[in-house]
Amino acid sequence: MTLLKAVRGTRDLLPPETELWNRVEATARRVFTRYNFGEIRTPIFEDTQLFARSVGEETDIVSKEMYTWEDRARAQSEKSQSLTLRPENTAGVVRAYIERKLGEAGLLRKLFYIGPQFRRERPQKGRYRQFWQIGAEVIGPPSAGSESPLRDAEVLEMLASFLDELGITGWTLVLNSVGSSTDRPRYIAALREALKDKAPQMCADCQRRAETNPLRVLDCKVPEDQPIIEALPRIADHLDEDSKAHFAAVLAALDACGVPYTINPRLVRGLDYYTRTTFEFTHGGLGAQNALLGGGRYDGLSEMLGGPRAPGIGFALGLDRLILTLQASQSDAAPNLADAFIAPLGEAMNAPALTLARELRREGLRIELGDGAFRLKKSFEIGNKLARSIILLGEDEHRSGILTVKNFAAGEQVRVPRADVARHLRP
RNA sequence: GCGGCUAUAGUUCAGUGGCAGAACACCGGACUGUGGCUCCGGGUGUCGUGGGUUCAAAUCCCACUAGCCGCCCCA
């Protein structure tokens, strides 16, 4: 029989690595809560149209990387529906914002999410087909201040604090503005116009990009193409006064609070819905996947999805990559040991041992329970690997209520009244 | 989706046509109420999968699968 395996691009997360995941997620919840964000959990699959309309039909994500299937009709009256495992979470959040009328209160909504996303890409280190993202969105009616550059700066400052609090050093914040929802199409049109002449002299990838996604031409790394790219129209020259002022205000706020950044006029994001501020936090040592997180403003997204005007800004952080970065930067942690290993001496002591374990666990201690069928030597060997101390529970101890407790590191063995054991073991 | 490298024990790896190996880990014993250190014993394996060549294949050939690296793109 063929052995079943986790499907390509998916994997099992196991202890002790999952402790690190929990720590990162707990830190995100703690930090984001200080900024008054609340958690949202959207469905893991949505109507395919949601992603086609928000992320963009022409993007690689939608055109070739989605897990899409036709949900069969269960009755004559029911239509089949094209469903897709979410490739990112902003679209789902904005869909919920519209559907649940979250803007009606007239306040900003500040929502974060933690969950798996799915893209059918070629797997690589730090890139999986089921990958995890932590993200947050600030969205609301313009009257609530959702367009304010202060929101952009606040989100960026929050991310800097989050990475700092995790102990990640060496990150770089890269910023750009891709213009308002009217600037952006105008700039893309200008770019297309300029590329009509220039594209044929460029690399094959750029010739393709010129057709499908002209903004990505700016990202090209082929040396021969650089002079041509330098001569192309610049985004900065196509920003209207409001967008220029917005970007300047974001930078000023970052300067004021001391968050360092660099501006990269060529930073463009792949998703269609981005407007004005776009950003990335990058980190060395991630190979080709050097972006830890990315995000930006999406002032027109709600309207693209048929909702009210609801400008927003958000980001998505690749948890898989963040974990890699943390693992690379920290030395191997000491094994996480239980407080005690209980060794019943003889199978008659099994039930009393479970009772003792119950008492100690209710005291909040982390207890590993052995088995009376083990020879004592084996109990010591196992206990030494799993716990800081071993508690012997034989006939004597059971009768007298005086337990034998030995600390492995110190090699010290003492007799402790049962009532005092929890206090004795507590670190 | 494209190009390259790789796949042998739980792990890291050696083995390039002739009995499947090392280190660490693991299991048993020396030691029936005492771990670590020591000593003795044990290989725990569909050599990624399926074909082919050969008297003989872990080794050579083909296909497939998976991982890694780069590209595309992206978190």
Side-chain angles (χ1 to χ4, degrees):
Chain A
M1 187 159 44
T2 315
L3 223 48
L4 292 167
K5 301 190 298 184
V7 305
R8 185 172 203 194
T10 71
R11 63 202 174 123
D12 304 304
L13 300 173
L14 301 169
E17 191 185 352
T18 39
E19 285 173 29
L20 191 52
W21 283 72
N22 282 328
R23 184 165 77 79
V24 170
E25 291 171 17
T27 303
R29 288 193 159 88
R30 190 176 65 242
V31 172
F32 298 171
T33 298
R34 294 207 290 259
Y35 292 76
N36 207 29
F37 278 78
E39 181 171 359
I40 183 172
R41 302 191 189 192
T42 68
I44 240 165
F45 56 90
E46 300 262 8
D47 192 304
T48 301
Q49 277 306 305
L50 175 62
F51 306 115
R53 277 155 62 178
S54 59
V55 175
E57 296 274 10
E58 296 304 322
T59 61
D60 277 23
I61 294 176
V62 171
S63 64
K64 61 184 197 195
E65 294 173 0
M66 293 203 304
Y67 281 99
T68 296
W69 72 99
E70 201 66 22
D71 194 39
R72 69 176 182 277
R74 303 292 299 271
Q76 285 292 324
S77 58
E78 194 182 358
K79 279 184 291 191
S80 70
Q81 185 180 18
S82 179
L83 302 179
T84 294
L85 290 177
R86 61 186 188 196
E88 58 100 50
N89 217 329
T90 298
V93 171
V94 174
R95 193 223 79 238
Y97 175 89
I98 297 168
E99 182 178 346
R100 307 297 294 274
K101 306 194 187 312
L102 298 183
E104 294 298 301
L107 300 172
L108 282 181
R109 300 306 304 230
K110 300 162 78 172
L111 301 166
F112 74 88
Y113 58 84
I114 299 177
Q117 319 292 337
F118 304 85
R119 287 182 205 168
R120 200 178 184 292
E121 294 180 286
R122 183 108 176 208
Q124 239 178 79
K125 198 183 205 75
R127 169 200 273 179
Y128 304 95
R129 289 180 170 185
Q130 174 174 340
F131 58 103
W132 291 73
Q133 286 189 333
I134 296 179
E137 316 290 350
V138 180
I139 182 170
S143 62
S146 57
E147 283 182 295
S148 168
L150 182 59
R151 300 280 78 83
D152 307 37
E154 188 181 22
V155 165
L156 292 167
E157 186 277 322
M158 178 172 84
L159 285 166
S161 293
F162 172 61
L163 295 178
D164 287 345
E165 202 147 322
L166 278 173
I168 291 182
T169 54
W171 52 260
T172 305
L173 165 58
V174 186
L175 274 173
N176 191 27
S177 175
V178 294
S180 69
S181 17
T182 48
D183 295 338
R184 196 166 188 257
R186 213 167 53 220
Y187 173 65
I188 292 173
L191 203 53
R192 275 191 201 279
E193 188 58 35
L195 283 170
K196 268 185 192 162
D197 291 342
K198 302 292 183 188
Q201 308 157 38
M202 303 181 78
C203 68
D205 282 332
C206 280
Q207 294 185 30
R208 181 180 47 74
R209 290 184 190 120
E211 292 299 319
T212 59
N213 195 350
L215 287 177
R216 296 233 61 99
V217 171
L218 302 176
D219 259 357
C220 180
K221 290 162 191 97
V222 177
E224 292 74 27
D225 288 354
Q226 297 310 306
I228 301 175
I229 293 169
E230 290 296 335
L232 289 172
R234 298 172 63 90
I235 296 178
D237 299 329
H238 287 74
L239 300 184
D240 60 29
E241 289 309 311
D242 283 352
S243 289
K244 282 181 191 166
H246 184 98
F247 194 46
V250 173
L251 302 184
L254 289 175
D255 288 335
C257 70
V259 172
Y261 59 85
T262 62
I263 296 173
N264 179 355
R266 294 188 188 175
L267 175 69
V268 292
R269 316 238 73 245
L271 312 187
D272 279 1
Y273 54 64
Y274 281 116
T275 55
R276 291 191 172 166
T277 313
T278 59
F279 60 87
E280 262 179 21
F281 281 73
T282 59
H283 193 277
L286 281 173
Q289 283 74 49
N290 71 337
L292 267 184
L293 67 90
R297 208 161 242 295
Y298 43 85
D299 291 339
L301 179 53
S302 174
E303 289 154 293
M304 286 166 67
L305 295 174
R309 175 146 176 78
I313 181 164
F315 66 87
L317 176 152
L319 203 37
D320 306 82
R321 291 183 194 173
L322 183 72
I323 296 287
L324 278 178
T325 305
L326 283 170
Q327 285 171 331
S329 68
Q330 70 183 14
S331 52
D332 288 328
N336 206 340
L337 295 175
D339 294 308
F341 178 90
I342 297 178
L345 305 182
E347 296 190 49
M349 288 298 108
N350 274 348
L354 179 60
T355 304
L356 175 62
R358 174 175 159 90
E359 288 169 14
L360 296 176
R361 285 164 176 159
R362 286 190 167 207
E363 291 281 339
L365 291 165
R366 182 166 156 183
I367 300 297
E368 185 72 59
L369 182 57
D371 193 300
F374 294 165
R375 290 173 305 100
L376 185 62
K377 175 186 166 66
K378 179 167 174 168
S379 288
F380 266 84
E381 285 170 351
I382 297 172
N384 189 37
K385 285 173 191 162
L386 298 179
R388 293 184 296 107
S389 294
I390 186 169
I391 301 173
L392 303 189
L393 183 62
E395 296 288 353
D396 289 351
E397 286 85 356
H398 186 49
R399 223 178 4 255
S400 66
I402 309 290
L403 303 180
T404 304
V405 181
K406 184 168 187 176
N407 178 280
F408 284 112
E412 258 169 28
Q413 183 164 310
V414 291
R415 308 264 296 165
V416 182
R418 184 164 179 149
D420 297 338
V421 168
R423 199 172 338 119
H424 178 81
L425 291 174
R426 202 155 273 135

